[in-house]
Amino acid sequence: MMAAARRQTYVMRPIYVGGTGELVGDVTRRQPGGGTTSFGAKFSFLHLLLAVLSEASALPVAFGLVVILVAVRRGVQLGQFRVAAAPGAPEAEAGGSRGLAPSLRKLRSPDSEPYSKKRARVQWCVRFCEVPVRKQHLLGRKPAAQEIFWYDYPACDGNINAEAIIGPVRVVALAPDEAIPVDLKNEKTLFMKLSWNEKKFRPLSPELLANLDKLRESSPRCQKPVGTKTRSIESLPWTTAEQVVRSIESRHSASKSCQTPTHSVTPRARKRLELNSLPRTPDSSTSRQNACASLGSPGRTKRKVAFSEVTSPCKRPQPDELQTSSPALKSPCTKDNKKCSPECHMTLRTRVPVLKATEITEHKTLSPISGGRKSLVVSDVVLKPENIKKRKVEEPEAQNEATSTPHRVNRKSSTLALNRIRQQLQFLGNNKNEQEEEEFLPAAEISDSSREEEEVSTPPFSRAHSSVPRSRCSSMKSSFQTPSKTPKKTPKRRTPCQVTPQIRSRSLAAQEPASALEEARLRLHVSAVPESLPCREREFQDIYNFVESKLLDRTGGCMYISGVPGTGKTATVHEVTRCLQQAAQANDVPPFQYVEVNGMKLTEPHQVYVQILQKLTGQKATANHAAQLLAKRFCTRGSPQETTVLLVDELDLLWTQKQDVMYNLFDWPTHKEARLVVLTIANTMDLPERIMMNRVASRLGLTRMSFQPYTHSQLQQILMSRLKHVKVFEDDAIQLVARKVAALSGDARRCLDICRRATEICELSPQKPDSPGLVTVAHLMEAVDEMFSSSYITAIKNSSVLEQGFLRAILAEFRRTGLEEATFQQVYSQHVVLCRMEGLPYPTMSETMAVCSRLGSCRLLLVEPSRNDLLLRVRLNVSQDDVLYALKEE
Amino acid sequence: MSSRKSKSNNLIHAECLSQQVQRILRERFCHQSSHSNLFGVQVQYKHLIELLKRTAIHGESNSVLIIGPRGSGKTMLVNHALKELMQIEEVNENVLQVHLNGLLQINDKIALKEITRQLNLENVVDDKVFGSFAENLSFLLEALKKVSKSSSCPVIFIDEFDLFAHHNQTLLYTLFDISQAAQTPVAVIGLTCRLDILELLEKRVKSRFSHRQIHLMNSFGFPQYLKIFKEQLSLPAEFPDKLFAEKWNENIQCLSEDRSIREVLQKHFNVSKNLRSLHMLLMLALNRVTSSHPFMTAADLMEASQLCSMDSKANIVHGLSVLEICLIIAMKHLNDIYEEEPFNFQMVYNEFQKFVQRKAHSIYNFEKPVVMKAFEHLQQLELIKPMERTSLNAQKEYQLMKLLLDNTQIMNALQKYPNCPTDVRQWATSSLSWL
């Protein structure tokens, strides 16, 4: 045993812990030969830590801020609550380090590499003092002295170095209605009543409670010595603190730990992979390979990747092997604020889920403190009656099952163990073999590992990506999610992508139109989908032919569509894709994927990548990464089978300084393998010439189409087609509105809006009994006036006397100076004179200033900011003639 | 004895009454209570109500802008409409109100979060922490994308709509696009005081806006203004002491017929038709109502009117020292001589020196630093303004300044200036008076 010579123990006896983290105690180093070295009696926290570290230079422990660590080289058992140093806290966002009592979920270390590090999966708990100060009030009461909180924060790294684990403590989970015992018999017992998720305190969920209780209960039964295993500790750079966990098979197959595989407690009900029940599709296997790949490259992956492929609500037990290491070492520990000693331990027992396929029921056992320790085992916490009652009914049953079928469990676990070895080998082996081997691994294996990944908060994105082998990346299918899909977000954050948000549905159904006018209004609404698009037949055909030919040729291409707003550009393209999709269903054209992005609905041009990627594959990624993925998808050989039709609306908003977004969009189709058809829409005809660099414009190509504004006859035709079956408009009226709008803008939306408004006016206007109730020219004129008449003149007419006077004074001043601009002071003097002439009371400066700023606020005037006071310059925002006209009317 | 007791009781009673009057009327003036009636906006009101009803009942998307100068009752119109609509059950159950304000939601990101919050969407995903702006936007779009009329309709009120019409109008585009697409029915109601609001909208945003505009223009005349004045001051019928309420209302009626009051109101009306300024006037008058002075009088209103129309700068000048007044007069002369060209301290000081040496009898010849101090004080009061930004190394004496007081203002202020020495007053009238 190589590391035997280096085996040492550091024992620290806490004497007292100061409030500021100062810790006084002595540290004894025991050497294998039996000699001890004492470090000293009093240390400040830092001193102690440094002393420990300098002595045990190979300690790869993160400098968690709160908890003191002592090197432990003893086997740690799953499910035990142990004190650990806080992880180097890269996610320091949690504010403060989370130190206390991680319940061990899994401890693994690569078997074949004796010098590699051990990793442990832990569930963090926090002490009250570690809750951010500004959030402490959320508890609403004083924390009990030995109270801790289940740390339900997915972003927190649950994967720590095994060396950081100091020793067991006893944790008593309390139901919300239980009181925390005041008379503490054992100071090393911690009480957990609430969970803390960085936002609020919550009572522990019943499942969790039950799990913890069960653990406690089961511990005495299955305590057993754990086999030892030597290994040496390699000191690692801090950055590797988040390295991939590898599952490992304990070599000591004789130890009972194999027979009683444990699985971790899942604090949160997460959706799980269910590969068992699924047929092996290439998709899932690829994703698994990715998973393995990411697992298998510890150096590259920063942490685990969360998998969220096919999910099933089924909770799966996690078979796990105990990894044990050093022999009898005593490792008491203290934390800075609280004394807690590792003597007491607690067994965690997982919930026993029912496996659909394999029906394995397993339970986790608690593992005991190794024999070499001075008999420090403290009796387990007695279950409280309430807790027992609260437990789920099925759990005791499952437990019984587990205990009654030891053989089956044994067999199962050994097969799992076998698989694990295989997986392990595979990790270490070259990646090329992975695919084949992966196929033989039982699904549970994968789900196990992936589950583990999932529970850890997801890794920074770029790293996750880098772990995915390139070749695989290209073969990803849109239907599944690759590891790279998990962006740098906590699982919780990811949920919204899975849940489709919905506005509350209405309690009362929308009323159906009752009258012809209402019916017409419904049809006239811009949102109403017309049966056909009249007047755009030629454009429709052009676009259709373009896309169809690309589809048939299996090539890619770009098209630029321009036209003023409201000329049916987007509608036509939609119609084209609709028709093509129908054709694809009828097998007339090859099937294709249709993706639509709108430049206006993006917060930032680079977000377009994210949107495209998400719509293509359902993945979420950061902009940069999405760009890489898309480039890979479109530019590498042998990628997608289907052509992608991409509609980019409001192209001009994708303009960036470097124009890289546009460049990419137009560059992808030029690749032979891309099979990407890009249809771009913008308002200006000369956009490529105006804003695009040559290289971008050249890639866009010369396939242009411009939608001319509708002429009056076209508009008329559009209206007629919409109102085909309802007769509510006089024919003259339709013609009038068509001509009006054609003269103004040729915007079909305007046309429809005017007509809609006219129906409203018609409805509200008093009807003569003999009239047919049609919308007349008069109604339409009223609607047109309402929408297009300038409100400046009415505003001037309705302004107060002084305001009108001020406008007159401005006109007078302009006439005097011959300029279109005057300072307030000049206008004021004119104003005073005018008021005197009209017999109005003398206007004070303050009043006049108020008048001026009022006129400025409704933009009749353009004024400078009022800090310029007398010197602020005033201009008219209306033409002088209009002002004169409005003032003369009186 | 008993008479004294009853007297004190009466006093308490009177105090109580005047307090109640103050409370009721203040509430009316300060809050935009939707109890008060609408004046002259019946057409617009009907338009808005119909539009909201159609959205709520028929699930028809709409967008409308309510445009009118400040204080023209835009918000009041909306509040009235909402109050009425919410009494209809099917509207109440279908409508989700979202209120945004351009001054509160200063950018689209915050606005989106606010919309999500007010639509209670964050509950859908149980405490979701919103990530980036982009995430937020796609989240909201996702939520509103439902192609059916079966969801309730969010009615989005955007106060200070113009502040959302900045260079990237993503939010407006999104909202209007939803209102023009077959998605969740929404009503977007923008409130703004800018008449040129449509020009602020980008062309594609503008195209998606339905161009419905409701203009509120204070289009009432003086008789109506008088009526509003009466209505605003009248006590409601629910007032506990009927007798007092009757008396009070009678008094108000008398006031409205009083000639001097009419003059005051006419003047106020000429300055501004804004109802808020009327409230301001009435509030000032109301403050004088006490238990010993239970009814509003014409004098109260006149005084309030005077307060309202007071020139704030003239008030500042009244509080200046004689030295500072002298400096202002010197500046005035400089302005006359050099035709509004900017001056610096040295010029003003020389002018002042001239006056002191040749003409002044009552003015002590101050040291230059003292004069400088006075000059700086004037600058602090913003009666004079430096032409360009003060740089550290520039000498203060030679920094170019401009006077922010008009000649008439100075002369008016001097007339009212208490204890102004005659020689200063003479000097003010003519710079050559010492000759």
Side-chain angles (χ1 to χ4, degrees):
Chain A
M1 297 286 175
M2 291 171 70
R6 295 177 60 189
R7 212 175 296 144
Q8 300 170 339
T9 322
Y10 301 92
V11 177
M12 189 179 65
R13 288 213 175 73
I15 295 168
Y16 93 94
V17 182
T20 56
E22 189 193 19
L23 182 136
V24 186
D26 68 350
V27 173
T28 317
R29 184 179 64 183
R30 286 191 193 183
Q31 279 151 349
T36 56
T37 319
S38 192
F39 280 63
K42 291 192 177 185
F43 295 99
S44 76
F45 170 71
L46 195 62
H47 283 150
L48 182 68
L49 194 63
L50 289 177
V52 171
L53 288 176
S54 62
E55 274 299 308
S57 59
L59 268 186
V61 183
F63 280 87
L65 302 172
V66 178
V67 183
I68 308 257
L69 64 123
V70 175
V72 184
R73 309 232 179 121
R74 190 170 11 86
V76 215
Q77 293 268 294
L78 294 181
Q80 272 181 297
F81 278 97
R82 283 168 186 279
V83 179
E91 285 103 357
E93 58 184 342
S97 59
R98 307 150 291 259
L100 179 68
S103 92
L104 208 54
R105 276 199 210 139
K106 223 168 239 198
L107 176 67
R108 297 166 154 197
S109 86
D111 196 23
S112 42
E113 259 181 57
Y115 277 88
S116 64
K117 54 280 139 192
K118 280 193 182 186
R119 312 291 306 164
R121 299 193 44 72
V122 295
Q123 166 65 48
W124 293 103
C125 297
V126 293
R127 276 163 297 159
F128 186 70
C129 57
E130 286 151 5
V131 174
V133 180
R134 63 198 141 80
K135 304 233 169 126
Q136 284 185 349
H137 67 275
L138 292 172
L139 183 60
R141 60 180 165 86
K142 286 202 77 162
Q146 297 186 6
E147 194 178 1
I148 56 170
F149 304 97
W150 183 269
Y151 192 64
D152 185 14
Y153 192 70
C156 177
D157 185 12
N159 178 19
I160 61 162
N161 208 313
E163 270 74 24
I165 294 174
I166 298 162
V169 291
R170 182 157 44 154
V171 174
V172 181
L174 296 175
D177 49 351
E178 284 174 286
I180 295 171
V182 189
D183 50 334
L184 300 167
K185 285 160 285 179
N186 186 349
E187 284 183 346
K188 287 97 190 176
T189 307
L190 300 171
F191 297 95
M192 180 156 62
K193 197 171 176 185
L194 300 170
S195 75
W196 166 246
N197 63 354
E198 286 298 324
K199 268 188 254 152
K200 53 184 150 197
F201 291 100
R202 284 206 187 112
L204 295 176
S205 64
E207 304 102 305
L208 182 61
L209 208 59
N211 285 338
L212 293 171
D213 282 345
K214 218 181 289 170
L215 265 172
R216 254 194 280 171
E217 195 184 46
S218 60
S219 59
R221 248 189 316 130
C222 25
Q223 273 183 25
K224 66 195 75 72
V226 178
T228 60
K229 176 183 176 274
T230 56
R231 73 199 165 81
S232 65
I233 298 160
E234 224 181 60
S235 80
L236 293 167
W238 295 121
T239 49
T240 60
E242 297 168 349
Q243 272 181 344
V244 167
V245 175
R246 299 181 178 190
S247 71
I248 179 170
E249 172 71 11
S250 167
R251 280 180 184 164
H252 305 274
S253 56
S255 82
K256 276 188 194 170
S257 61
C258 283
Q259 288 165 12
T260 55
T262 57
H263 49 229
S264 68
V265 175
T266 358
R268 285 171 313 253
R270 298 285 320 266
K271 293 194 171 179
R272 297 286 305 117
L273 267 184
E274 188 169 50
L275 293 176
N276 278 355
S277 55
L278 279 178
R280 287 249 158 160
T281 59
D283 294 5
S284 57
S285 67
T286 333
S287 67
R288 255 185 291 120
Q289 286 151 18
N290 287 325
C292 295
S294 66
L295 285 173
S297 53
R300 280 182 292 156
T301 331
K302 200 160 183 198
R303 239 192 294 150
K304 274 111 307 114
V305 179
F307 286 74
S308 53
E309 322 182 10
V310 197
T311 55
S312 82
C314 162
K315 288 275 181 319
R316 215 168 264 267
Q318 277 193 308
D320 203 353
E321 284 73 36
L322 291 176
Q323 169 63 46
T324 58
S325 61
S326 64
L329 292 177
K330 186 190 160 199
S331 66
C333 82
T334 60
K335 295 167 293 112
D336 56 346
N337 282 355
K338 268 184 216 177
K339 288 177 217 158
C340 76
S341 94
E343 278 86 352
C344 42
H345 69 272
M346 173 177 166
T347 342
L348 272 184
R349 192 170 178 285
T350 54
R351 343 172 12 174
V352 186
V354 182
L355 257 191
K356 277 185 191 161
T358 57
E359 282 190 319
I360 300 176
T361 50
E362 295 165 311
H363 62 269
K364 182 166 171 198
T365 63
L366 180 153
S367 110
I369 297 130
S370 49
R373 274 214 215 149
K374 291 170 192 169
S375 59
L376 289 170
V377 180
V378 178
S379 64
D380 272 276
V381 184
V382 184
L383 267 184
K384 302 236 162 98
E386 294 102 282
N387 287 350
I388 298 170
K389 273 180 231 155
K390 272 187 188 169
R391 237 191 266 158
K392 285 186 182 174
V393 186
E394 77 246 29
E395 281 177 337
E397 290 168 9
Q399 194 183 332
N400 292 337
E401 200 190 341
T403 46
S404 64
T405 58
H407 292 294
R408 193 149 55 122
V409 171
N410 197 353
R411 187 165 40 81
K412 275 300 176 195
S413 61
S414 56
T415 54
L416 285 168
L418 213 70
N419 292 328
R420 208 165 277 271
I421 295 172
R422 199 178 297 164
Q423 195 186 5
Q424 193 59 41
L425 287 172
Q426 195 181 343
F427 288 149
L428 299 167
N430 52 357
N431 284 344
K432 284 168 196 165
N433 294 335
E434 262 178 60
Q435 295 194 3
E436 295 85 46
E437 275 196 1
E438 198 56 29
E439 294 295 325
F440 300 109
L441 286 176
E445 175 72 38
I446 281 91
S447 75
D448 174 35
S449 59
S450 61
R451 173 205 191 131
E452 203 183 308
E453 313 306 312
E454 201 176 272
E455 287 183 14
V456 181
S457 66
T458 59
F461 187 69
S462 53
R463 291 303 210 89
H465 162 59
S466 65
S467 75
V468 180
R470 306 235 147 191
S471 58
R472 265 192 222 113
C473 204
S474 57
S475 63
M476 282 173 205
K477 283 280 142 45
S478 60
S479 52
F480 68 87
Q481 297 174 342
T482 61
S484 56
K485 155 157 196 186
T486 45
K488 189 184 175 182
K489 260 178 270 137
T490 64
K492 212 165 186 186
R493 274 188 181 177
R494 252 186 303 143
T495 45
C497 328
Q498 292 154 6
V499 182
T500 316
Q502 278 190 349
I503 303 254
R504 181 187 85 193
S505 65
R506 59 198 290 150
S507 45
L508 297 161
Q511 275 183 16
E512 290 304 312
S515 68
L517 273 175
E518 282 176 10
E519 170 76 25
R521 201 179 301 138
L522 200 71
R523 286 158 174 270
L524 284 171
H525 199 281
V526 185
S527 68
V529 183
E531 297 92 27
S532 66
L533 282 172
C535 312
R536 287 294 179 223
E537 290 85 6
R538 197 177 55 78
E539 286 85 355
F540 174 84
Q541 204 55 48
D542 284 356
I543 300 173
Y544 187 91
N545 290 344
F546 175 79
V547 181
E548 192 190 24
S549 68
K550 299 292 177 203
L551 286 178
L552 290 173
D553 299 348
R554 295 171 185 275
T555 53
C558 294
M559 183 174 203
Y560 177 70
I561 300 164
S562 65
V564 293
T567 48
K569 302 176 295 295
T570 313
T572 308
V573 176
H574 281 169
E575 189 70 10
V576 167
T577 51
R578 206 172 55 81
C579 288
L580 279 169
Q581 267 158 352
Q582 278 176 357
Q585 273 175 0
N587 279 331
D588 292 340
V589 293
F592 64 95
Q593 260 188 309
Y594 172 64
V595 176
E596 184 183 340
V597 287
N598 189 323
M600 218 33 187
K601 292 181 181 169
L602 300 173
T603 49
E604 195 258 337
H606 291 95
Q607 286 291 328
V608 76
Y609 300 129
V610 180
Q611 294 256 319
I612 294 174
L613 186 74
Q614 194 180 1
K615 284 174 182 165
L616 268 182
T617 68
Q619 301 175 36
K620 283 197 86 181
T622 58
N624 283 336
H625 184 55
Q628 286 171 10
L629 285 181
L630 285 173
K632 219 172 279 168
R633 182 188 169 91
F634 291 126
C635 306
T636 43
R637 199 169 288 277
S639 39
Q641 300 299 306
E642 287 183 351
T643 307
T644 308
V645 176
L646 173 65
L647 168 62
V648 184
D649 217 339
E650 316 292 358
L651 176 73
D652 49 337
L653 284 156
L654 297 184
W655 187 87
T656 51
Q657 189 66 45
K658 281 169 67 188
Q659 307 199 355
D660 48 342
V661 177
M662 284 186 185
Y663 180 87
N664 278 337
L665 283 181
F666 303 143
D667 192 43
W668 291 333
T670 60
H671 287 84
K672 207 162 125 197
E673 307 82 10
R675 304 184 56 190
L676 172 68
V677 181
V678 180
L679 302 172
T680 55
I681 297 181
N683 289 135
T684 41
M685 210 160 86
D686 56 345
L687 186 82
E689 285 74 32
R690 262 194 319 132
I691 68 167
M692 290 187 201
M693 291 180 208
N694 284 337
R695 56 169 176 269
V696 178
S698 127
R699 276 170 175 77
L700 174 57
L702 292 171
T703 320
R704 308 261 176 99
M705 165 165 298
S706 91
F707 279 61
Q708 297 303 322
Y710 289 111
T711 61
H712 67 89
S713 57
Q714 285 174 325
L715 286 174
Q716 202 174 340
Q717 205 182 329
I718 290 169
L719 287 177
M720 295 296 237
S721 78
R722 288 214 176 204
L723 298 169
K724 215 180 283 170
H725 306 295
V726 274
K727 174 71 182 160
V728 283
F729 277 86
E730 289 178 355
D731 292 342
D732 286 351
I734 290 186
Q735 190 166 1
L736 173 93
V737 67
R739 282 181 184 278
K740 275 267 179 200
V741 173
L744 277 166
S745 60
D747 188 338
R749 289 195 187 107
R750 257 331 45 70
C751 199
L752 296 172
D753 281 334
I754 291 172
C755 290
R756 209 153 56 89
R757 176 69 188 135
T759 60
E760 285 167 21
I761 293 171
C762 174
E763 202 172 46
L764 292 177
S765 64
Q767 298 275 330
K768 282 175 216 136
D770 55 332
S771 73
L774 292 183
V775 180
T776 60
V777 174
H779 294 138
L780 269 171
M781 283 308 288
E782 199 182 329
V784 170
D785 281 348
E786 213 179 80
M787 289 189 175
F788 294 110
S789 71
S790 155
S791 49
Y792 289 116
I793 292 176
T794 38
I796 295 173
K797 275 184 195 166
N798 285 317
S799 52
S800 71
V801 176
L802 223 58
E803 283 160 358
Q804 290 178 347
F806 192 76
L807 285 172
R808 278 206 186 87
I810 289 175
L811 287 184
E813 183 61 27
F814 283 179
R815 205 172 305 134
R816 188 180 72 84
T817 57
L819 296 171
E820 291 279 294
E821 190 178 271
T823 64
F824 176 75
Q825 195 170 13
Q826 291 167 326
V827 180
Y828 176 68
S829 47
Q830 289 280 354
H831 186 51
V832 171
V833 173
L834 277 176
C835 281
R836 204 171 291 148
M837 264 165 55
E838 289 179 24
L840 290 171
Y842 170 77
T844 60
M845 183 75 91
S846 294
E847 274 174 349
T848 318
M849 196 54 129
V851 163
C852 179
S853 63
R854 266 205 300 274
L855 291 174
S857 79
C858 50
R859 288 300 187 276
L860 282 169
L861 297 182
L862 297 174
V863 294
E864 281 186 325
S866 57
R867 68 186 147 80
N868 285 339
D869 208 49
L870 277 187
L871 309 173
L872 67 84
R873 279 171 299 186
V874 179
R875 263 190 296 167
L876 276 178
N877 197 24
V878 205
S879 79
Q880 294 193 24
D881 294 337
D882 281 358
V883 179
L884 274 179
Y885 169 77
L887 293 175
K888 210 175 281 172
E889 281 297 289
E890 259 185 307
Chain B
M1 194 66 187
S2 66
S3 77
R4 186 187 286 176
K5 200 172 191 179
S6 70
K7 207 174 179 183
S8 71
N9 268 349
N10 276 346
L11 261 177
I12 290 165
H13 183 62
E15 198 154 315
C16 185
L17 273 181
S18 65
Q19 263 173 11
Q20 269 173 326
V21 170
Q22 294 260 359
R23 192 176 50 78
I24 291 173
L25 294 184
R26 270 164 198 253
E27 220 161 70
R28 198 179 284 170
F29 299 152
C30 295
H31 302 296
Q32 290 173 326
S33 62
S34 44
H35 302 290
S36 51
N37 296 330
L38 290 165
F39 308 102
V41 289
Q42 265 64 38
V43 184
Q44 289 93 328
Y45 182 63
K46 205 167 176 189
H47 187 172
L48 184 66
I49 283 268
E50 287 295 317
L51 185 129
L52 287 173
K53 259 191 201 161
R54 270 200 310 278
T55 305
I57 296 169
H58 296 285
E60 181 186 296
S61 294
N62 273 312
S63 50
V64 70
L65 277 178
I66 302 175
I67 305 170
R70 297 212 180 275
S72 57
K74 303 180 287 293
T75 311
M76 196 171 71
L77 185 77
V78 166
N79 287 343
H80 261 268
L82 274 180
K83 197 182 157 205
E84 191 188 315
L85 281 172
M86 285 305 160
Q87 282 161 2
I88 306 173
E89 193 197 348
E90 50 184 351
V91 176
N92 194 10
E93 290 182 7
N94 283 338
V95 163
L96 294 168
Q97 291 181 40
V98 178
H99 293 268
L100 299 178
N101 191 320
L103 292 168
L104 297 178
Q105 282 78 39
I106 51 169
N107 58 35
D108 287 0
K109 188 177 174 181
I110 300 172
L112 275 179
K113 278 191 186 172
E114 186 64 20
I115 293 175
T116 320
R117 191 185 68 74
Q118 293 192 16
L119 287 178
N120 286 331
L121 283 178
E122 80 264 46
N123 293 346
V124 177
V125 285
D126 170 51
D127 263 355
K128 181 201 173 210
V129 183
F130 276 117
S132 61
F133 180 24
E135 209 176 21
N136 242 321
L137 182 66
S138 56
F139 179 76
L140 186 68
L141 287 178
E142 185 81 22
L144 296 172
K145 204 173 266 171
K146 203 170 167 193
V147 187
S148 76
K149 290 190 171 178
S150 63
S151 59
S152 1
C153 6
V155 178
I156 300 168
F157 298 95
I158 307 179
D159 233 329
E160 311 292 341
F161 182 85
D162 45 309
L163 294 178
F164 284 105
H166 39 71
H167 66 281
N168 188 3
Q169 302 169 359
T170 304
L171 180 77
L172 297 184
Y173 181 90
T174 311
L175 291 179
F176 285 146
D177 201 48
I178 293 165
S179 82
Q180 297 255 308
Q183 295 180 356
T184 308
V186 293
V188 183
I189 293 164
L191 284 79
T192 181
C193 63
R194 286 183 67 161
L195 298 171
D196 62 344
I197 182 68
L198 283 185
E199 292 156 40
L200 294 179
L201 296 178
E202 218 181 306
K203 58 185 181 304
R204 49 198 151 207
V205 180
K206 192 176 169 186
S207 168
R208 279 165 176 78
F209 168 57
S210 71
H211 278 63
R212 279 158 198 270
Q213 300 165 56
I214 298 177
H215 287 282
L216 296 178
M217 287 297 177
N218 287 332
S219 53
F220 45 79
F222 184 67
Q224 255 176 313
Y225 193 74
L226 211 60
K227 226 162 98 189
I228 294 167
F229 163 78
K230 260 192 291 185
E231 226 165 274
Q232 290 289 310
L233 273 184
S234 305
L235 284 176
E238 305 89 64
F239 193 75
D241 191 335
K242 296 262 184 278
L243 205 68
F244 181 82
E246 236 169 67
K247 266 195 194 157
W248 173 276
N249 288 346
E250 236 168 66
N251 177 46
I252 297 300
Q253 178 66 29
C254 288
L255 279 180
S256 69
E257 282 154 18
D258 191 286
R259 240 189 103 207
S260 59
I261 294 289
R262 278 183 178 232
E263 256 168 44
V264 166
L265 286 178
Q266 178 77 54
K267 182 166 176 273
H268 211 75
F269 179 73
N270 283 349
V271 173
S272 161
K273 283 173 150 186
N274 191 335
L275 284 192
R276 287 223 185 113
S277 74
L278 177 68
H279 283 158
M280 185 71 200
L281 178 82
L282 297 183
M283 182 69 108
L284 287 171
L286 180 71
N287 285 343
R288 309 186 69 87
V289 173
T290 56
S291 53
S292 52
H293 178 75
F295 295 107
M296 204 179 271
T297 59
D300 293 340
L301 270 170
M302 271 148 82
E303 206 157 318
S305 157
Q306 239 168 11
L307 270 174
C308 275
S309 63
M310 199 156 345
D311 188 359
S312 50
K313 266 194 209 155
N315 282 351
I316 292 178
V317 173
H318 291 166
L320 294 178
S321 67
V322 175
L323 172 61
E324 283 156 350
I325 289 278
C326 287
L327 289 183
I328 284 179
I329 292 168
M331 290 171 203
K332 170 181 175 280
H333 291 326
L334 284 173
N335 270 347
D336 289 344
I337 295 163
Y338 299 108
E339 293 179 330
E340 308 282 325
E341 285 297 309
F343 50 82
N344 59 29
F345 170 71
Q346 200 57 49
M347 291 158 77
V348 177
Y349 183 67
N350 287 345
E351 195 73 21
F352 176 63
Q353 284 285 310
K354 265 193 259 172
F355 164 64
V356 169
Q357 282 161 11
R358 308 198 185 168
K359 183 73 183 166
H361 311 295
S362 56
I363 302 294
Y364 175 75
N365 192 2
F366 292 101
E367 301 280 324
K368 194 170 175 184
V370 177
V371 181
M372 185 71 198
K373 196 77 198 161
F375 190 78
E376 276 171 0
H377 186 226
L378 289 178
Q379 192 181 337
Q380 276 165 7
L381 290 172
E382 294 200 342
L383 292 177
I384 55 176
K385 185 174 181 276
M387 290 300 285
E388 59 264 344
R389 186 163 298 171
T390 43
S391 55
L392 282 175
N393 46 6
Q395 281 182 295
K396 272 189 253 171
E397 290 91 336
Y398 301 105
Q399 194 169 25
L400 290 179
M401 296 283 194
K402 273 220 161 194
L403 183 62
L404 295 184
L405 282 169
D406 199 49
N407 277 356
T408 47
Q409 260 179 318
I410 297 170
M411 297 314 289
N412 288 348
L414 266 184
Q415 269 163 13
K416 286 185 199 155
Y417 188 80
N419 307 323
C420 184
T422 31
D423 45 352
V424 173
R425 196 165 286 175
Q426 273 178 354
W427 179 46
T429 48
S430 162
S431 60
L432 305 174
S433 60
W434 50 270
L435 284 178

